[in-house]
Amino acid sequence: MASREPGYPDLAVDSGLCGEELPVGGEEAGSITLGQYLRQLAHHQNFLWFVGMDLVQVFHCHFNSNFFPLFLEHLLSDHISLSMGSFLLGISYVAPHLNNLYFLPLCRRWGVYTVVRGLFLLKLGLSLLMLLAGPDRPGLLCLFIASNRVFTEGTCKLLTLVVTDLVDEDLVLNHRKQAASALLFGMVALVTKPGQTFAPLLGTWLLCFYTGHDLFQQPPLALVGSAQPWPEPPAPPPAQAPVLRQGCFYLLVLVPITCALLQLFTWSKFTLHGRRLHMVKAQRQNLSRPQTLDIKTV
């Protein structure tokens, strides 16, 4: 007798394996309005947990992109050369693409869910280690700044694979005639877009709140035709420079820790992996099989 997957009454499982019973009560994709589609997404639990996690991931990716040069300047400028800083900045854009050559075989072996969860745990572990080590270890700091950006960008590139699984689950749950791939990808991009906007705003506010340093503050310009014939000597380094360095360090490590904890929580609620994912894939093939037969008949 068929048993139903907990939390998903429309999806049946036969004898604990991939069920042959298709979901009922769904509406065809061609006969629903946008409002009905949005209501269906609102009841799609895995979609909601995924976009919550992805929102944090987009925030973290753009936070690293915006503040990477600032961290290099205030935390490592006394320990590395300008050319080394440029090299780190350049490699941080190339390495995530090279990482995929290693991550994709891992995904085939262990599954995307396990690999992404491992990357979240790695981010949390490295951030805690850096927090305990402190800002006075330039070698470890240099490695952490680079790896934090590389692994974060690499995770972003893997999440597209999860969206394709959500497309299949949406097709099965709502018994659609065809997959609404473009709609689902668009909704994910739309919902996670605020993370891109708030990353520089929140980072700048936190830095200003903790250190009193305004990133947009500019020194006053000398008036043209001033009566003073010689420019004033350069001002001494501000007394708040150590505070600014400390603030950059805490911003560097506490943001990844917070993001990792939030992502581990939301990712633990995501159930589209393992046995359930195999079941969805099997029912996805069952749904597409009649269409294939019709094409052959024609």
Side-chain angles (χ1 to χ4, degrees), residues 247-267:
C248 287
F249 174 75
Y250 282 124
L251 196 65
L252 172 68
V253 296
L254 292 181
V255 167
I257 290 174
T258 305
C259 291
L261 291 175
L262 290 173
Q263 289 176 304
L264 285 171
F265 171 74
T266 53
W267 200 232

Side-chain angles (χ1 to χ4, degrees), residues 18-19 277-287 289:
C18 298
L277 180 59
H278 289 302
M279 179 184 62
V280 168
K281 294 294 185 182
Q283 293 211 24
R284 171 72 169 89
Q285 292 178 356
N286 290 337
L287 286 174
R289 195 171 299 162

Side-chain angles (χ1 to χ4, degrees), residues 136-209:
D136 298 323
R137 295 179 178 269
L140 186 60
L141 194 59
C142 182
L143 179 64
F144 175 75
I145 292 176
S147 63
N148 181 41
R149 175 169 167 77
V150 168
F151 287 136
T152 303
E153 293 288 340
T155 305
C156 284
K157 299 182 185 307
L158 289 179
L159 295 182
T160 304
L161 301 176
V162 183
V163 182
T164 59
D165 293 337
L166 286 171
V167 170
D168 290 339
E169 188 183 38
D170 175 72
L171 176 73
V172 171
L173 285 177
N174 298 293
H175 204 180
R176 304 190 192 282
K177 284 187 175 181
Q178 60 183 5
S181 305
L183 280 173
L184 199 63
F185 272 91
M187 287 302 300
V188 170
L190 177 65
V191 176
T192 58
K193 193 70 173 179
Q196 181 177 348
T197 304
F198 284 106
L201 296 177
L202 185 59
T204 303
W205 178 82
L206 287 173
L207 190 64
C208 182
F209 177 80

Side-chain angles (χ1 to χ4, degrees), residues 73-74 211-214 217 219 234-246:
E73 177 184 356
H74 291 287
T211 66
H213 177 75
D214 187 0
Q217 185 178 4
Q240 66 171 359
V243 178
L244 178 59
R245 186 172 186 272
Q246 194 76 8

Side-chain angles (χ1 to χ4, degrees), residues 48-151:
L48 297 178
W49 287 117
F50 173 79
V51 294
M53 180 275 298
D54 197 25
L55 176 63
V56 179
Q57 185 66 26
V58 170
F59 170 86
H60 194 199
C61 285
H62 285 85
F63 174 84
N64 285 337
S65 299
N66 284 276
F67 289 93
F68 189 86
L70 183 74
F71 294 148
L72 289 180
E73 177 184 356
H74 291 287
L75 295 175
L76 291 173
S77 59
D78 296 335
H79 305 283
I80 62 174
S81 63
L82 185 61
S83 58
M84 184 62 180
S86 301
F87 173 77
L88 286 175
L89 189 60
I91 201 67
S92 67
Y93 287 95
V94 178
H97 299 279
L98 300 178
N99 261 355
N100 284 349
L101 300 177
Y102 178 69
F103 286 153
L104 290 178
L106 289 180
C107 291
R108 282 194 292 267
R109 182 176 181 181
W110 302 105
V112 180
Y113 178 87
T114 303
V115 173
V116 171
R117 184 173 180 271
L119 288 172
F120 292 157
L121 290 171
L122 180 63
K123 175 165 63 176
L124 179 61
L126 290 176
S127 301
L128 290 173
L129 177 64
M130 193 69 249
L131 180 63
L132 294 175
D136 298 323
R137 295 179 178 269
L140 186 60
L141 194 59
C142 182
L143 179 64
F144 175 75
I145 292 176
S147 63
N148 181 41
R149 175 169 167 77
V150 168
F151 287 136

